[in-house]
PDB file of all heavy atoms in Angstrom:
ATOM      1  N   ILE A  53       5.386   7.721   0.448  1.00  0.00           N
ATOM      2  CA  ILE A  53       3.935   7.784   0.700  1.00  0.00           C
ATOM      3  C   ILE A  53       3.621   8.985   1.588  1.00  0.00           C
ATOM      4  O   ILE A  53       4.083   8.929   2.699  1.00  0.00           O
ATOM      5  CB  ILE A  53       3.342   6.498   1.252  1.00  0.00           C
ATOM      6  CG1 ILE A  53       3.735   5.329   0.269  1.00  0.00           C
ATOM      7  CG2 ILE A  53       1.841   6.644   1.454  1.00  0.00           C
ATOM      8  CD1 ILE A  53       3.466   3.987   0.779  1.00  0.00           C
ATOM      9  N   PRO A  54       2.848   9.985   1.255  1.00  0.00           N
ATOM     10  CA  PRO A  54       2.577  11.173   1.919  1.00  0.00           C
ATOM     11  C   PRO A  54       1.927  10.790   3.224  1.00  0.00           C
ATOM     12  O   PRO A  54       1.243   9.808   3.518  1.00  0.00           O
ATOM     13  CB  PRO A  54       1.578  11.893   1.055  1.00  0.00           C
ATOM     14  CG  PRO A  54       1.665  11.394  -0.360  1.00  0.00           C
ATOM     15  CD  PRO A  54       2.150   9.976  -0.243  1.00  0.00           C
ATOM     16  N   ASP A  55       2.172  11.661   4.280  1.00  0.00           N
ATOM     17  CA  ASP A  55       1.681  11.570   5.571  1.00  0.00           C
ATOM     18  C   ASP A  55       0.122  11.597   5.569  1.00  0.00           C
ATOM     19  O   ASP A  55      -0.468  10.988   6.465  1.00  0.00           O
ATOM     20  CB  ASP A  55       2.143  12.662   6.430  1.00  0.00           C
ATOM     21  CG  ASP A  55       3.633  12.500   6.826  1.00  0.00           C
ATOM     22  OD1 ASP A  55       4.174  11.349   6.748  1.00  0.00           O
ATOM     23  OD2 ASP A  55       4.256  13.496   7.096  1.00  0.00           O
ATOM     24  N   SER A  56      -0.473  12.157   4.499  1.00  0.00           N
ATOM     25  CA  SER A  56      -1.914  12.321   4.470  1.00  0.00           C
ATOM     26  C   SER A  56      -2.605  10.849   4.261  1.00  0.00           C
ATOM     27  O   SER A  56      -3.811  10.773   4.209  1.00  0.00           O
ATOM     28  CB  SER A  56      -2.366  13.253   3.484  1.00  0.00           C
ATOM     29  OG  SER A  56      -1.936  13.009   2.231  1.00  0.00           O
ATOM     30  N   PHE A  57      -1.829   9.929   3.838  1.00  0.00           N
ATOM     31  CA  PHE A  57      -2.285   8.582   3.496  1.00  0.00           C
ATOM     32  C   PHE A  57      -1.908   7.493   4.709  1.00  0.00           C
ATOM     33  O   PHE A  57      -0.769   7.527   5.109  1.00  0.00           O
ATOM     34  CB  PHE A  57      -1.816   7.994   2.129  1.00  0.00           C
ATOM     35  CG  PHE A  57      -2.471   8.778   1.085  1.00  0.00           C
ATOM     36  CD1 PHE A  57      -1.881   9.990   0.610  1.00  0.00           C
ATOM     37  CD2 PHE A  57      -3.672   8.295   0.459  1.00  0.00           C
ATOM     38  CE1 PHE A  57      -2.518  10.596  -0.498  1.00  0.00           C
ATOM     39  CE2 PHE A  57      -4.236   8.981  -0.565  1.00  0.00           C
ATOM     40  CZ  PHE A  57      -3.605  10.115  -1.008  1.00  0.00           C
ATOM     41  N   GLU A  58      -2.832   6.763   5.071  1.00  0.00           N
ATOM     42  CA  GLU A  58      -2.567   5.700   6.115  1.00  0.00           C
ATOM     43  C   GLU A  58      -2.410   4.454   5.152  1.00  0.00           C
ATOM     44  O   GLU A  58      -3.257   4.069   4.398  1.00  0.00           O
ATOM     45  CB  GLU A  58      -3.859   5.586   6.945  1.00  0.00           C
ATOM     46  CG  GLU A  58      -3.630   4.614   8.088  1.00  0.00           C
ATOM     47  CD  GLU A  58      -4.739   4.581   9.169  1.00  0.00           C
ATOM     48  OE1 GLU A  58      -5.501   5.574   9.285  1.00  0.00           O
ATOM     49  OE2 GLU A  58      -4.983   3.575   9.766  1.00  0.00           O
ATOM     50  N   VAL A  59      -1.494   3.654   5.657  1.00  0.00           N
ATOM     51  CA  VAL A  59      -1.077   2.333   4.959  1.00  0.00           C
ATOM     52  C   VAL A  59      -1.082   1.313   6.036  1.00  0.00           C
ATOM     53  O   VAL A  59      -0.283   1.461   7.071  1.00  0.00           O
ATOM     54  CB  VAL A  59       0.190   2.342   4.074  1.00  0.00           C
ATOM     55  CG1 VAL A  59       0.389   1.025   3.473  1.00  0.00           C
ATOM     56  CG2 VAL A  59       0.015   3.486   3.069  1.00  0.00           C
ATOM     57  N   GLU A  60      -1.810   0.190   5.875  1.00  0.00           N
ATOM     58  CA  GLU A  60      -1.757  -0.935   6.815  1.00  0.00           C
ATOM     59  C   GLU A  60      -1.482  -2.172   6.011  1.00  0.00           C
ATOM     60  O   GLU A  60      -2.132  -2.466   4.991  1.00  0.00           O
ATOM     61  CB  GLU A  60      -3.068  -1.103   7.617  1.00  0.00           C
ATOM     62  CG  GLU A  60      -3.073  -2.151   8.512  1.00  0.00           C
ATOM     63  CD  GLU A  60      -4.295  -2.219   9.420  1.00  0.00           C
ATOM     64  OE1 GLU A  60      -5.155  -1.292   9.264  1.00  0.00           O
ATOM     65  OE2 GLU A  60      -4.352  -3.063  10.229  1.00  0.00           O
ATOM     66  N   VAL A  61      -0.466  -3.017   6.364  1.00  0.00           N
ATOM     67  CA  VAL A  61      -0.194  -4.244   5.754  1.00  0.00           C
ATOM     68  C   VAL A  61      -0.570  -5.332   6.692  1.00  0.00           C
ATOM     69  O   VAL A  61      -0.203  -5.427   7.880  1.00  0.00           O
ATOM     70  CB  VAL A  61       1.318  -4.285   5.508  1.00  0.00           C
ATOM     71  CG1 VAL A  61       1.745  -5.583   4.941  1.00  0.00           C
ATOM     72  CG2 VAL A  61       1.730  -3.058   4.484  1.00  0.00           C
ATOM     73  N   LEU A  62      -1.337  -6.232   6.099  1.00  0.00           N
ATOM     74  CA  LEU A  62      -1.742  -7.464   6.908  1.00  0.00           C
ATOM     75  C   LEU A  62      -1.328  -8.637   6.089  1.00  0.00           C
ATOM     76  O   LEU A  62      -1.331  -8.730   4.866  1.00  0.00           O
ATOM     77  CB  LEU A  62      -3.285  -7.520   6.889  1.00  0.00           C
ATOM     78  CG  LEU A  62      -3.926  -6.309   7.528  1.00  0.00           C
ATOM     79  CD1 LEU A  62      -5.464  -6.302   7.311  1.00  0.00           C
ATOM     80  CD2 LEU A  62      -3.624  -6.161   8.982  1.00  0.00           C
ATOM     81  N   GLU A  63      -0.910  -9.733   6.816  1.00  0.00           N
ATOM     82  CA  GLU A  63      -0.379 -10.921   6.189  1.00  0.00           C
ATOM     83  C   GLU A  63      -1.415 -11.960   6.345  1.00  0.00           C
ATOM     84  O   GLU A  63      -1.785 -12.359   7.501  1.00  0.00           O
ATOM     85  CB  GLU A  63       0.963 -11.330   6.818  1.00  0.00           C
ATOM     86  CG  GLU A  63       1.436 -12.619   6.161  1.00  0.00           C
ATOM     87  CD  GLU A  63       2.871 -12.981   6.732  1.00  0.00           C
ATOM     88  OE1 GLU A  63       3.177 -12.491   7.910  1.00  0.00           O
ATOM     89  OE2 GLU A  63       3.510 -13.720   6.051  1.00  0.00           O
ATOM     90  N   GLU A  64      -1.859 -12.574   5.281  1.00  0.00           N
ATOM     91  CA  GLU A  64      -2.748 -13.722   5.342  1.00  0.00           C
ATOM     92  C   GLU A  64      -1.942 -14.981   5.697  1.00  0.00           C
ATOM     93  O   GLU A  64      -0.741 -15.103   5.483  1.00  0.00           O
ATOM     94  CB  GLU A  64      -3.417 -13.989   4.017  1.00  0.00           C
ATOM     95  CG  GLU A  64      -4.429 -12.817   3.615  1.00  0.00           C
ATOM     96  CD  GLU A  64      -5.173 -13.178   2.280  1.00  0.00           C
ATOM     97  OE1 GLU A  64      -4.728 -13.922   1.447  1.00  0.00           O
ATOM     98  OE2 GLU A  64      -6.238 -12.565   2.150  1.00  0.00           O
ATOM     99  N   THR A  65      -2.656 -15.938   6.335  1.00  0.00           N
ATOM    100  CA  THR A  65      -2.053 -17.201   6.517  1.00  0.00           C
ATOM    101  C   THR A  65      -3.112 -18.243   5.984  1.00  0.00           C
ATOM    102  O   THR A  65      -4.093 -17.924   5.336  1.00  0.00           O
ATOM    103  CB  THR A  65      -2.056 -17.462   8.141  1.00  0.00           C
ATOM    104  OG1 THR A  65      -3.275 -17.624   8.666  1.00  0.00           O
ATOM    105  CG2 THR A  65      -1.266 -16.337   8.670  1.00  0.00           C
ATOM    106  N   ALA A  66      -2.706 -19.511   6.195  1.00  0.00           N
ATOM    107  CA  ALA A  66      -3.558 -20.627   5.574  1.00  0.00           C
ATOM    108  C   ALA A  66      -4.957 -20.612   6.176  1.00  0.00           C
ATOM    109  O   ALA A  66      -5.917 -20.993   5.520  1.00  0.00           O
ATOM    110  CB  ALA A  66      -2.832 -21.926   5.807  1.00  0.00           C
ATOM    111  N   SER A  67      -4.953 -20.135   7.478  1.00  0.00           N
ATOM    112  CA  SER A  67      -6.307 -20.102   8.138  1.00  0.00           C
ATOM    113  C   SER A  67      -6.979 -18.770   8.293  1.00  0.00           C
ATOM    114  O   SER A  67      -8.014 -18.771   8.960  1.00  0.00           O
ATOM    115  CB  SER A  67      -6.201 -20.912   9.442  1.00  0.00           C
ATOM    116  OG  SER A  67      -5.238 -20.116  10.273  1.00  0.00           O
ATOM    117  N   LYS A  68      -6.264 -17.765   7.847  1.00  0.00           N
ATOM    118  CA  LYS A  68      -6.783 -16.374   8.033  1.00  0.00           C
ATOM    119  C   LYS A  68      -6.706 -15.658   6.833  1.00  0.00           C
ATOM    120  O   LYS A  68      -5.660 -15.445   6.225  1.00  0.00           O
ATOM    121  CB  LYS A  68      -6.081 -15.660   9.209  1.00  0.00           C
ATOM    122  CG  LYS A  68      -6.715 -14.304   9.539  1.00  0.00           C
ATOM    123  CD  LYS A  68      -5.978 -13.824  10.752  1.00  0.00           C
ATOM    124  CE  LYS A  68      -6.781 -12.593  11.299  1.00  0.00           C
ATOM    125  NZ  LYS A  68      -6.215 -12.090  12.657  1.00  0.00           N
ATOM    126  N   LYS A  69      -7.860 -15.192   6.318  1.00  0.00           N
ATOM    127  CA  LYS A  69      -7.914 -14.413   4.990  1.00  0.00           C
ATOM    128  C   LYS A  69      -8.561 -13.204   5.337  1.00  0.00           C
ATOM    129  O   LYS A  69      -9.387 -12.927   6.135  1.00  0.00           O
ATOM    130  CB  LYS A  69      -8.779 -15.250   3.945  1.00  0.00           C
ATOM    131  CG  LYS A  69      -8.249 -16.676   3.570  1.00  0.00           C
ATOM    132  CD  LYS A  69      -6.907 -16.526   2.899  1.00  0.00           C
ATOM    133  CE  LYS A  69      -6.415 -17.883   2.619  1.00  0.00           C
ATOM    134  NZ  LYS A  69      -4.990 -17.956   2.338  1.00  0.00           N
ATOM    135  N   TYR A  70      -8.327 -12.149   4.478  1.00  0.00           N
ATOM    136  CA  TYR A  70      -8.861 -10.829   4.513  1.00  0.00           C
ATOM    137  C   TYR A  70      -9.796 -10.429   3.304  1.00  0.00           C
ATOM    138  O   TYR A  70      -9.229 -10.777   2.219  1.00  0.00           O
ATOM    139  CB  TYR A  70      -7.863  -9.747   4.714  1.00  0.00           C
ATOM    140  CG  TYR A  70      -6.993  -9.885   6.005  1.00  0.00           C
ATOM    141  CD1 TYR A  70      -5.823 -10.614   6.034  1.00  0.00           C
ATOM    142  CD2 TYR A  70      -7.483  -9.352   7.221  1.00  0.00           C
ATOM    143  CE1 TYR A  70      -5.095 -10.826   7.240  1.00  0.00           C
ATOM    144  CE2 TYR A  70      -6.863  -9.470   8.432  1.00  0.00           C
ATOM    145  CZ  TYR A  70      -5.686 -10.293   8.389  1.00  0.00           C
ATOM    146  OH  TYR A  70      -4.959 -10.461   9.605  1.00  0.00           O
ATOM    147  N   PHE A  71     -10.705  -9.888   3.522  1.00  0.00           N
ATOM    148  CA  PHE A  71     -11.583  -9.296   2.478  1.00  0.00           C
ATOM    149  C   PHE A  71     -11.450  -7.818   2.385  1.00  0.00           C
ATOM    150  O   PHE A  71     -11.791  -7.095   3.430  1.00  0.00           O
ATOM    151  CB  PHE A  71     -13.127  -9.873   2.630  1.00  0.00           C
ATOM    152  CG  PHE A  71     -13.953  -9.333   1.568  1.00  0.00           C
ATOM    153  CD1 PHE A  71     -14.079 -10.091   0.424  1.00  0.00           C
ATOM    154  CD2 PHE A  71     -14.575  -8.103   1.622  1.00  0.00           C
ATOM    155  CE1 PHE A  71     -14.919  -9.686  -0.708  1.00  0.00           C
ATOM    156  CE2 PHE A  71     -15.470  -7.695   0.600  1.00  0.00           C
ATOM    157  CZ  PHE A  71     -15.675  -8.531  -0.441  1.00  0.00           C
ATOM    158  N   ILE A  72     -11.035  -7.289   1.329  1.00  0.00           N
ATOM    159  CA  ILE A  72     -10.799  -5.843   1.309  1.00  0.00           C
ATOM    160  C   ILE A  72     -11.950  -5.258   0.578  1.00  0.00           C
ATOM    161  O   ILE A  72     -12.131  -5.623  -0.661  1.00  0.00           O
ATOM    162  CB  ILE A  72      -9.478  -5.520   0.563  1.00  0.00           C
ATOM    163  CG1 ILE A  72      -8.279  -6.140   1.162  1.00  0.00           C
ATOM    164  CG2 ILE A  72      -9.287  -4.005   0.452  1.00  0.00           C
ATOM    165  CD1 ILE A  72      -7.995  -5.781   2.630  1.00  0.00           C
ATOM    166  N   LEU A  73     -12.578  -4.421   1.218  1.00  0.00           N
ATOM    167  CA  LEU A  73     -13.839  -3.838   0.430  1.00  0.00           C
ATOM    168  C   LEU A  73     -13.245  -2.411   0.010  1.00  0.00           C
ATOM    169  O   LEU A  73     -12.983  -1.475   0.597  1.00  0.00           O
ATOM    170  CB  LEU A  73     -14.880  -3.435   1.583  1.00  0.00           C
ATOM    171  CG  LEU A  73     -16.204  -2.789   1.040  1.00  0.00           C
ATOM    172  CD1 LEU A  73     -16.897  -3.578  -0.017  1.00  0.00           C
ATOM    173  CD2 LEU A  73     -17.129  -2.476   2.282  1.00  0.00           C
ATOM    174  N   PRO A  74     -13.268  -2.297  -1.359  1.00  0.00           N
ATOM    175  CA  PRO A  74     -12.701  -1.040  -2.028  1.00  0.00           C
ATOM    176  C   PRO A  74     -13.617   0.074  -1.790  1.00  0.00           C
ATOM    177  O   PRO A  74     -14.908  -0.143  -1.494  1.00  0.00           O
ATOM    178  CB  PRO A  74     -12.757  -1.413  -3.554  1.00  0.00           C
ATOM    179  CG  PRO A  74     -12.839  -2.946  -3.576  1.00  0.00           C
ATOM    180  CD  PRO A  74     -13.502  -3.339  -2.394  1.00  0.00           C
ATOM    181  N   GLN A  75     -13.108   1.210  -1.967  1.00  0.00           N
ATOM    182  CA  GLN A  75     -13.878   2.525  -1.830  1.00  0.00           C
ATOM    183  C   GLN A  75     -14.887   2.505  -2.917  1.00  0.00           C
ATOM    184  O   GLN A  75     -14.732   2.046  -4.063  1.00  0.00           O
ATOM    185  CB  GLN A  75     -12.923   3.594  -1.885  1.00  0.00           C
ATOM    186  CG  GLN A  75     -13.586   5.072  -1.707  1.00  0.00           C
ATOM    187  CD  GLN A  75     -12.575   6.148  -1.863  1.00  0.00           C
ATOM    188  OE1 GLN A  75     -11.538   5.967  -2.369  1.00  0.00           O
ATOM    189  NE2 GLN A  75     -12.955   7.308  -1.366  1.00  0.00           N
ATOM    190  N   SER A  76     -16.107   3.042  -2.670  1.00  0.00           N
ATOM    191  CA  SER A  76     -17.102   3.170  -3.549  1.00  0.00           C
ATOM    192  C   SER A  76     -16.647   3.820  -4.799  1.00  0.00           C
ATOM    193  O   SER A  76     -15.985   4.971  -4.675  1.00  0.00           O
ATOM    194  CB  SER A  76     -18.264   3.863  -2.933  1.00  0.00           C
ATOM    195  OG  SER A  76     -19.124   4.590  -3.823  1.00  0.00           O
ATOM    196  N   PRO A  77     -17.043   3.400  -6.087  1.00  0.00           N
ATOM    197  CA  PRO A  77     -16.567   4.248  -7.205  1.00  0.00           C
ATOM    198  C   PRO A  77     -17.102   5.657  -7.256  1.00  0.00           C
ATOM    199  O   PRO A  77     -16.547   6.516  -7.706  1.00  0.00           O
ATOM    200  CB  PRO A  77     -17.226   3.432  -8.312  1.00  0.00           C
ATOM    201  CG  PRO A  77     -17.531   2.056  -7.717  1.00  0.00           C
ATOM    202  CD  PRO A  77     -17.721   2.258  -6.301  1.00  0.00           C
ATOM    203  N   VAL A  78     -18.322   5.866  -6.570  1.00  0.00           N
ATOM    204  CA  VAL A  78     -18.918   7.290  -6.550  1.00  0.00           C
ATOM    205  C   VAL A  78     -17.932   8.204  -5.724  1.00  0.00           C
ATOM    206  O   VAL A  78     -17.514   9.193  -6.179  1.00  0.00           O
ATOM    207  CB  VAL A  78     -20.276   7.251  -5.994  1.00  0.00           C
ATOM    208  CG1 VAL A  78     -20.800   8.674  -5.755  1.00  0.00           C
ATOM    209  CG2 VAL A  78     -21.152   6.538  -6.875  1.00  0.00           C
TER     210      VAL A  78
END
Side-chain angles (χ1 to χ4, degrees):
I53 300 170
D55 290 337
S56 60
F57 288 88
E58 184 177 333
V59 178
E60 183 175 358
V61 175
L62 304 171
E63 182 179 18
E64 291 186 335
T65 67
S67 62
K68 188 170 191 173
K69 301 295 179 193
Y70 295 94
F71 180 86
I72 306 300
L73 181 61
Q75 184 178 19
S76 155
V78 172

